[in-house]
Amino acid sequence: MNLLFYLSFIMIIIANIFMILSFILSKKSFLDREKCTPFECGFDPLSLARIPFSLHFFLITMIFLIFDVEIALIFPMIPTFTLVNFLIWFKISFFFIIMLLVGLYHEWNQSMLNWTN
């Protein structure tokens, strides 16, 4: 038990020595303005923070994301075709496809699919 305690104590001492050495020997400049500024997704942080972006482009992105997830949910239907009862599989697949089409019709009705407004 004492050996385990001594080994743990020695490892903690060695780790602290390395942390202190790295802090002393590091070449960090606190006066470098570029390193102190935030970098967000390629935008220049020295310019205006409120850069206008297209809300329509954001909506198209959200629609793509939703349909991408729906495609990921459709893929497992193909291998399960031979593993389950055909009638149950058909009802679930039909319901899922109808829900997708209702969502697509709603987006079309709201004219969210028109790029030029």
Side-chain angles (χ1 to χ4, degrees), residues 26-36:
S26 69
K27 214 175 172 187
K28 187 181 268 189
S29 172
F30 293 107
L31 301 176
D32 192 7
R33 181 177 174 161
E34 285 296 318
K35 288 185 180 179
C36 292

Side-chain angles (χ1 to χ4, degrees), residues 37-54:
T37 59
F39 181 75
E40 299 176 3
C41 302
F43 292 111
D44 185 16
L46 301 177
S47 65
L48 291 174
R50 301 287 182 194
I51 298 174
F53 68 98
S54 173

Side-chain angles (χ1 to χ4, degrees), residues 94-108:
F94 185 74
F95 177 73
F96 191 73
I97 298 297
I98 291 298
M99 290 299 292
L100 290 179
L101 290 176
V102 166
L104 181 63
Y105 176 73
H106 176 69
E107 290 167 358
W108 191 3

Side-chain angles (χ1 to χ4, degrees), residues 24-82:
I24 292 171
L25 297 176
S26 69
K27 214 175 172 187
K28 187 181 268 189
S29 172
F30 293 107
L31 301 176
D32 192 7
R33 181 177 174 161
E34 285 296 318
K35 288 185 180 179
C36 292
T37 59
F39 181 75
E40 299 176 3
C41 302
F43 292 111
D44 185 16
L46 301 177
S47 65
L48 291 174
R50 301 287 182 194
I51 298 174
F53 68 98
S54 173
L55 184 61
H56 195 72
F57 179 74
F58 176 73
L59 292 175
I60 294 292
T61 306
M62 295 312 300
I63 291 170
F64 171 76
L65 183 65
I66 290 168
F67 279 103
D68 193 39
V69 169
E70 290 167 352
I71 292 297
L73 292 173
I74 287 176
F75 275 146
M77 286 184 184
I78 298 167
T80 58
F81 176 70
T82 58

